[in-house]
Amino acid sequence: MIDMNQLETELKYRFVESIRLSRELGYHPTVFADMVNTLGALATAKKLVKTSAVQSGFKSLLKLGRLDLSMEAIMLEEIFIPLFTENELIAAKWRLDNPNLV
């Protein structure tokens, strides 16, 4: 049985690691980091993925060639799929599959 609380904790760890790596690349995702710390990782992902506007962070990671560090890529990691609805996962996958349209 999946421990959803543990999985959400692991999601936050992955987001924090992504933020750290992004900073090492010269991109500082301050708003995203603040949201993760304030709302929590899961609530942040759910809120951002359902908006029609793509966050500037996604565009910054695209320019760096590091979409693997994006919230969307992390959401689609097999371990985290149970945390999200089918529509949330479809939205995340669409953004990753169509980065030049965002």
Side-chain angles (χ1 to χ4, degrees), residues 3-44:
D3 181 343
M4 298 303 268
N5 289 328
Q6 179 60 37
L7 199 52
E8 189 172 345
T9 299
E10 185 65 24
L11 180 67
K12 182 173 183 178
Y13 171 79
R14 287 287 290 117
F15 283 173
V16 169
E17 179 68 5
S18 170
I19 292 164
R20 183 187 68 75
L21 291 170
S22 296
R23 287 179 177 148
E24 286 180 5
L25 295 169
Y27 164 57
H28 299 274
T30 307
V31 173
F32 180 70
D34 289 345
M35 288 181 74
V36 169
N37 287 327
T38 303
L39 301 175
L42 185 58
T44 296

